[in-house]
């Protein structure tokens, strides 16, 4: 199924801007379309891959999702807590064919206070409204760099290409595995690049073995699930999930 490319959906409740206490956003990490309910109320009747709800009452809420993916329709519900004065950004994650889905808090960004009114003296000449001055530009969410400890000697794209070329020059699966292990021994790798490496192995058992080995060298471990769609058997996906949970 082609990856859905849907427009962003902006959901705004009819309350004054100065009464805004908090904001909630939900983003499909793999671009799937979904519908969401907040405390039993449907927010978007048309499925999309991004929903923003503003303002939101501070405190605990129950959110429900119906997610359409290439493996079918996922349904889930989860409690979330929204602090005062922040935009809480959540990622909606699905896992292969396992039927599992999760919510992951990406960031909590402080909201800007509304601008104070400016009193201008009455001019002695005709003056037209300055519409540009009143235009509000939203501040994009800020993400903290949480990967610095895991990203030492990160494998560059050029080094990755040379590694793949070296692996493909060998006929035996065991030799390819040894080369890939040695390449990661003193460095780190991104989840997308790990996926490319795994595609060089012919057997799923070899992919499973190297994926476990590479987890300790993964720069962005929360994206480990990127590789799950390379595995044909759900039992192998569950084994990787359990392995990653034990290594955290």
């Amino acid at each position: 199924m082609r990856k859905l490319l849907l427009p962003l959906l902006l959901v705004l409740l009819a309350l004054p801007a100065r009464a805004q206490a908090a904001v909630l956003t939900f983003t499909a990490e793999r671009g799937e379309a979904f519908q969401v309910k907040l405390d039993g109320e449907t927010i978007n009747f048309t499925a999309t891959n991004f929903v923003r709800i503003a303002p939101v009452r501070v405190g605990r809420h129950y959110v429900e999702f119906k997610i359409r993916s290439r493996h079918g329709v996922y349904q889930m519900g989860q409690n979330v807590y929204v602090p005062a004065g922040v935009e809480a950004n959540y990622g909606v994650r699905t896992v292969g064919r396992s039927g599992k889905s999760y919510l992951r808090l990406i960031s909590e960004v402080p909201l800007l206070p509304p601008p104070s009114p400016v009193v201008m003296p009455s001019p002695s000449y005709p003056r037209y409204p300055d519409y540009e001055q009143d235009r509000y530009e939203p501040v994009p969410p800020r993400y903290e760099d949480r990967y610095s400890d895991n990203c030492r000697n990160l494998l560059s794209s050029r080094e990755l290409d040379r590694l793949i070329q070296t692996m493909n020059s060998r006929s035996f699966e065991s030799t390819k595995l040894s080369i890939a292990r040695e390449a990661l021994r003193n460095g780190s790798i991104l989840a997308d690049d790990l996926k490319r490496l795994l595609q060089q192995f012919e057997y799923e058992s070899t992919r499973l073995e190297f994926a476990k080995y590479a987890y300790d060298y993964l720069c962005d471990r929360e994206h480990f699930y990127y590789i799950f769609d390379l595995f044909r058997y759900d039992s192998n996906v569950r084994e990787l999930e359990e392995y990653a949970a034990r290594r955290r």
Side-chain angles (χ1 to χ4, degrees):
M1 185 179 73
R2 291 185 307 173
K3 185 176 180 182
L4 297 174
L5 297 177
L6 298 175
L8 300 183
L9 175 65
L10 182 63
V11 181
L12 296 175
L13 301 183
L15 288 178
R18 291 183 181 273
Q20 181 167 305
V23 176
L24 260 178
T25 74
F26 302 101
T27 305
E29 296 190 356
R30 291 188 172 183
E32 304 97 328
F34 62 86
Q35 292 173 280
V36 60
K37 288 184 178 181
L38 182 69
D39 299 327
E41 179 181 353
T42 300
I43 300 299
N44 59 318
F45 290 94
T46 301
T48 183
N49 56 11
F50 174 80
V51 170
R52 186 176 191 268
I53 310 173
V56 175
R57 172 182 51 82
V58 172
R60 190 174 300 276
H61 297 271
Y62 186 69
V63 291
E64 301 169 83
F65 291 87
K66 182 182 289 185
I67 309 165
R68 301 173 186 174
S69 77
R70 61 180 178 176
H71 301 302
V73 177
Y74 295 76
Q75 290 186 333
M76 63 164 290
Q78 186 171 323
N79 287 310
V80 298
Y81 181 82
V82 184
V86 302
E87 178 175 298
N89 301 293
Y90 282 86
V92 182
R93 174 188 302 184
T94 58
V95 181
R97 300 180 179 87
S98 65
K100 296 180 180 179
S101 54
Y102 307 91
L103 273 184
R104 181 174 68 92
L105 179 63
I106 299 174
S107 64
E108 290 181 345
V109 183
L111 294 174
L112 292 177
S116 301
V118 178
V119 179
M120 300 294 294
S122 300
S124 58
Y125 51 87
R127 182 178 178 86
Y128 296 96
D130 185 0
Y131 295 107
E132 290 295 322
Q133 182 177 348
D134 297 330
R135 188 175 60 185
Y136 172 73
E137 297 291 343
V139 176
R142 296 173 295 179
Y143 300 94
E144 297 179 358
D145 182 6
R146 296 166 291 173
Y147 310 131
S148 55
D149 292 339
N150 300 328
C151 299
R152 297 174 181 173
N153 300 324
L154 183 64
L155 197 69
S156 68
S157 58
R158 182 177 180 181
E159 291 170 333
L160 178 67
D161 291 338
R162 294 189 64 179
L163 172 57
I164 291 175
Q165 183 179 1
T166 302
M167 292 172 63
N168 290 336
S169 69
R170 302 297 176 176
S171 302
F172 294 105
E173 189 94 339
S174 59
T175 306
K176 293 182 179 181
L177 180 61
S178 298
I179 293 172
R181 282 175 175 265
E182 183 62 30
L184 292 190
R185 195 176 303 278
N186 296 313
S188 60
I189 190 171
L190 291 169
D192 281 329
D193 293 339
L194 173 59
K195 187 172 183 178
R196 285 188 60 194
L197 274 187
L198 291 172
Q199 290 171 331
Q200 311 311 311
F201 298 115
E202 180 179 358
Y203 301 110
E204 186 154 322
S205 58
T206 311
R207 292 182 178 181
L208 182 65
E209 180 181 350
F210 184 69
K212 289 181 179 179
Y213 174 84
Y215 181 82
D216 287 338
Y217 302 93
L218 198 60
C219 174
D220 49 342
R221 292 182 182 177
E222 75 275 19
H223 294 156
F224 187 54
Y225 69 92
Y226 282 4
I227 70 171
F228 289 173
D229 58 0
L230 295 180
F231 294 89
R232 179 180 178 185
Y233 301 106
D234 290 343
S235 58
N236 288 335
V237 173
R238 288 194 297 271
E239 185 173 343
L240 288 173
E241 290 178 319
E242 293 169 359
Y243 180 84
R246 292 195 301 269
R247 301 296 292 179
R248 289 178 187 142

